[in-house]
Structures are given as C-alpha cells and as structure tokens.
Amino acid sequence: MRSATFGAPKMLVSVAAAVVAIAGLATADLPSTAAVDLYSVTYTSPSATSLGAMPTGNGRVSVNVWVETATGDLMLLMGLADALDENSNLLKLGVVRVQLDPPLVGATTTDFNQTLVLSSGDVHISAGGVAVRVWVDAETSTVRVTVSPGATAIGVRAVLDHAHRLDGNVVNAGAFGNGWGGSGGSFCYANGTVASFVGIYSDVLRPAPNAIAWYHRNNRARADFYTDAMAEQGLGGCGPTCWDPLTNRSWGAALVGDASFSAVNSTVLASPTSFQPVAIAIAVTSAQSATESTFADTIDKLVLSARAELTPSQSAKQRAAHEVWWQQFWNRSFVHVRTDDDSTTPTPPPPSPPQRSGFSRHDRYVGNQAALQRNASWPANGESPGRCTLPFKVDDPNNGCIAEASRMCGSVHGCVAFGLAESWHGGLYPQLYTAGFASAAPNGAWTFFANDSAVPPSPPPPPPP
C-alpha cells in the first residue's frame, strides 16, 4: 500500500461547481498560496499501477501521474474532455512514459517524494537529487514536463506507450464495462436488446520531424451511435436541424522536446546524458473537421505550436499566466472548515537553527511570489540563478547550500532574500526575491533567508462567526 502524507488537520475545500458567497468575508480572509499549499498531498513511495496515480489538469485535459515501481518510469495517462469516439466512448488520449537513465527510482531509493501542489496544479517529484515537475497549462491545455538532474547526469526518453491503439485492431468496448445505458460491459437499447459488438477503432500515427504526433478520427461508416441514439429517443427524423457531435470528430496530440531531443523512431524521442534540465511539451487539440486531411494539417501546426511553448521567453510568460489562473481559481470560491478546538492563532514554528550566511533564517516561511526573480537564461526553468553543490537539508544548520545561495543572491541586482526547500528541484536550487521577510508567508515546505530581521507578520484576523 502506498504511503502518503496529507496537510494540516484543518481543511480548505474548493467549491469548483458552484459559486459560494459568504457574507462579510474580508479580503484578508482569501487563501494565500502558502495557505492553500498547507493542504497539498504528498506520496512517499512510487506506485505499481495507475491506481496510485496523482491527478492534475485544467478542466479540459487531465493527467494521471505516477512513477512506476517496476521500471522507475514517470507515467502520464492523459484524458481529453471531448475525446468521444463513434460510439460515444470517452477514450483516453494516450499514455506517455518518461524514462530516465539512471531511473528515477530503484531498489535502493529512500528519498522519493511526490507532491500535488494545490496552489499551482503541479505535481512535483524528487528522488536521488532529481527533480521533476508536471502540470497542464491552464490557458493552452498543453501538458508540460521538466526534469532537472541532481549530482548525476541523466539521459531522458519520451515514449508514446500507445501500441494497443495503433496496431489496427478493433477492440470491443464492452470488455471495459463502460457501455451506454448498461452495466458489466453490456450496451443496451431502450427495448432491452443488447448490442453484440461496440468497437474502439485505431488511432493514426502522423509523421512529424523530431516529434511524436497521433490522432483519432471518427468514421460514420464504421459506427453511427448518434443516429441510433436519436432513433431511440424518437427523433430519427430530426436530420440536419439537430447537431451531431460525433460525426467527423477528431482529436490528437503532438509531443515535442527541447532542442536536446531527437527522434529515435516514430514513438520515441531521446535527450542525451547531461547535467542540464530538459523540458517536454504535449500539445492537444480537437475539432469536427470536414475532411481527415484538414485535421491532419491541424496536427502539423500543433507540432509547431508545441515547440513555440518550449522557447524560454514563451515558457516563462505562460508559466506566469498559469500561476495567476490558479491563484484566481482558489480565490473564486472556498470554505474554511475548522475543528471545535482549533485556534485562530497559528502555532509558532520551533526555533530555527543557527546560520552563518549573513541572512536571517525563517523556517516554514516562503517568499512573496510577486517578488520572485526570474531570468530565462537561469537553470531550473529560469527560476534559479545557479545550482548548489549539495542539496539543502532543513536539519543541517551548516549546510553549504545556504552559503552558496547567499552568494548567488548577492550577485543578482535587487535580490534581498532567498528561499530553499528540500522538495524543490531536490533542494539544489534557491529562489531569489526582491522583498524581505515582512512580505513572506507561512509554508511548511520552505525556509526563507532575508537580509532584514523584521518580526514575522501578524496572523490574519479570525473569520467572522
């Protein structure tokens, strides 16, 4: 059974399906990034199957994320909200394996950590000094993956694990138990009869230079669920006045890597062994196009747009917009639930260990995201000016990464503070800030270092009764 840790005993519940208005709610009561992340979920072991996956997405595209115990591969099982085939089966978009050499986890791995970061919809994974981040761009629906090596150089391969949907065979959907109107795999009509066979038809692999592209296109000649369904409802004569959402529906994806990747074959991209971070983008699309060639052209354009998203300037721009979207999401609607004995005053953190970096140290605090310094030329996705020799450890007061991070901050104009976290890129990369401790916020995963000695900010006022 997988081991996991959850946040504080209080709960922060996001109400995504309805707008809840709470009379007298003050702006100060809105949940900050740090407050939301108190409820992030962490796994401390990989998973044998997708049953141990961690979900992320943006409402249109979903991804089940897990690290496979047997292989150490990062697994991405992707879904698309309108991937409905000829028989109205909601199919998965596909499975992508991200293989690391050496593997992300092995028999001797003891520091595995996988966290669903609620404030930004990310999945962060760290093991053996390697840091992985997976998210679905809130604006473009592109699945993004970054891999940052630790003390050991790694090679990365992206593999479309989709052979069963590309082999030309037709599968009976009843075998999956997801039939329309029935149970146990049966496909039932209103008169009680059962369909003898409901097929899932093959996808198409689209050749693309240094990319993996594939799509599915519905073909009315091989199945016409819409006509059958309309007839079942007594609307068989509706004709063109009724919208047919299934005929000619197509959807697909394009997987590309940064400039370090090259194609091994039509379903595998590889990046050579290196200490440099790598990035992968999986762009998706869907449409009802008049001809298959029209949609195939759309897939070709999707390859180009996915490459554009990996350029440093565009990547940084979209990441910033993604974080704003999630901040607005959490502030849109929420309910605070407290236990009867819960105090409105947070328990102060334990005394911080001494440090010799010239900065005041504040455990369990994180800097203001609006003051975070970024540069597209920096490593760790442009969010850190450099890499520590050894990873930061909270319980090691003399850790060399503190001194290295302070020197990095001193070399960057405008930097007055920095933050370190064991789980962020394996504790090897500091984050720099232009604002000091007065603007910091509580966060159990981070340690904040500032060149001022201001007292912690006062806790927010208690909510109205």
Side-chain angles (χ1 to χ4, degrees):
M1 187 172 183
R2 94 154 41 253
S3 45
T5 60
F6 299 87
K10 292 175 285 185
M11 295 182 292
L12 179 65
V13 182
S14 171
V15 183
V19 176
V20 179
I22 303 177
L25 186 64
T27 302
D29 293 316
L30 295 176
S32 66
T33 296
V36 172
D37 283 339
L38 288 173
Y39 310 94
S40 294
V41 179
T42 295
Y43 293 166
T44 56
S45 63
S47 176
T49 69
S50 61
L51 294 178
M54 187 171 277
T56 188
N58 72 338
R60 181 180 180 232
V61 172
S62 62
V63 185
N64 276 357
V65 182
W66 75 100
V67 175
E68 193 173 61
T69 305
T71 63
D73 294 348
L74 171 67
M75 305 295 294
L76 309 174
L77 174 59
M78 302 177 295
L80 181 62
D82 56 351
L84 293 165
D85 74 354
E86 298 92 328
N87 285 305
S88 196
N89 295 303
L90 184 60
L91 302 184
K92 294 299 182 184
L93 188 61
V95 177
V96 170
R97 287 180 177 267
V98 180
Q99 300 174 327
L100 276 59
D101 183 18
L104 185 57
V105 297
T108 60
T109 301
T110 59
D111 61 348
F112 180 86
N113 185 288
Q114 177 174 329
T115 300
L116 175 60
V117 183
L118 294 179
S119 64
S120 57
D122 296 355
V123 175
H124 290 187
I125 303 170
S126 62
V130 178
V132 177
R133 182 166 67 175
V134 181
W135 74 99
V136 178
D137 190 288
E139 303 288 349
T140 68
S141 297
T142 298
V143 180
R144 299 291 303 273
V145 181
T146 61
V147 181
S148 299
T152 303
I154 60 173
V156 180
R157 288 163 58 99
V159 181
L160 177 61
D161 192 358
H162 204 56
H164 65 290
R165 290 263 297 278
L166 294 169
D167 58 10
N169 293 324
V170 181
V171 178
N172 187 359
F176 299 100
N178 61 341
W180 23 266
S183 60
S186 61
F187 287 73
C188 304
Y189 293 101
N191 63 8
T193 60
V194 178
S196 58
F197 184 86
V198 178
I200 296 178
Y201 299 90
S202 288
D203 293 350
V204 177
L205 199 61
R206 176 74 172 174
N210 276 345
I212 305 170
W214 71 101
Y215 67 89
H216 181 97
R217 180 170 175 82
N218 291 349
N219 185 342
R220 193 172 184 174
R222 60 195 182 194
D224 189 6
F225 169 80
Y226 174 77
T227 298
D228 287 348
M230 295 300 285
E232 285 291 307
Q233 301 297 322
L235 298 171
C238 184
T241 60
C242 294
W243 173 50
D244 176 357
L246 301 180
T247 297
N248 293 333
R249 174 162 295 281
S250 307
W251 67 88
L255 189 159
V256 302
D258 60 29
S260 68
F261 282 86
S262 59
V264 176
N265 54 47
S266 60
T267 59
V268 179
L269 301 181
S271 177
T273 301
S274 169
F275 284 101
Q276 295 300 312
V278 301
I280 296 168
I282 309 169
V284 303
T285 190
S286 61
Q288 279 186 279
S289 53
T291 65
E292 184 169 356
S293 62
T294 298
F295 189 76
D297 290 341
T298 301
I299 293 293
D300 294 340
K301 294 176 182 177
L302 193 67
V303 172
L304 299 178
S305 68
R307 292 197 201 284
E309 291 194 46
L310 289 180
T311 60
S313 59
Q314 185 64 22
S315 181
K317 179 180 178 181
Q318 289 184 199
R319 177 66 196 184
H322 171 87
E323 292 177 358
V324 169
W325 188 96
W326 274 99
Q327 184 180 38
Q328 293 172 342
F329 169 82
W330 286 110
N331 287 341
R332 187 179 307 136
S333 180
F334 61 92
V335 176
H336 284 291
V337 181
R338 290 185 167 89
T339 59
D340 292 340
D341 60 350
D342 183 32
S343 171
T344 58
T345 302
T347 303
S352 300
Q355 49 78 37
R356 300 180 178 87
S357 68
F359 287 71
S360 59
R361 173 172 175 162
H362 310 274
D363 286 339
R364 300 184 184 178
Y365 278 88
V366 71
N368 188 332
Q369 290 295 300
L372 184 64
Q373 294 186 290
R374 292 184 174 94
N375 187 307
S377 66
W378 290 351
N381 309 311
E383 296 188 18
S384 179
R387 176 178 181 273
C388 289
T389 305
L390 295 173
F392 171 70
K393 298 294 183 182
V394 172
D395 57 0
D396 180 4
N398 299 310
N399 186 275
C401 188
I402 299 173
E404 289 180 307
S406 67
R407 288 194 292 270
M408 291 182 211
C409 181
S411 67
V412 175
H413 177 71
C415 179
V416 300
F418 63 90
L420 291 166
E422 292 186 24
S423 60
W424 195 78
H425 290 278
L428 289 163
Y429 293 90
Q431 287 190 342
L432 307 190
Y433 299 89
T434 59
F437 184 68
S439 66
N443 187 304
W446 284 82
T447 299
F448 190 71
F449 297 83
N451 65 357
D452 57 72
S453 57
V455 297
S458 300

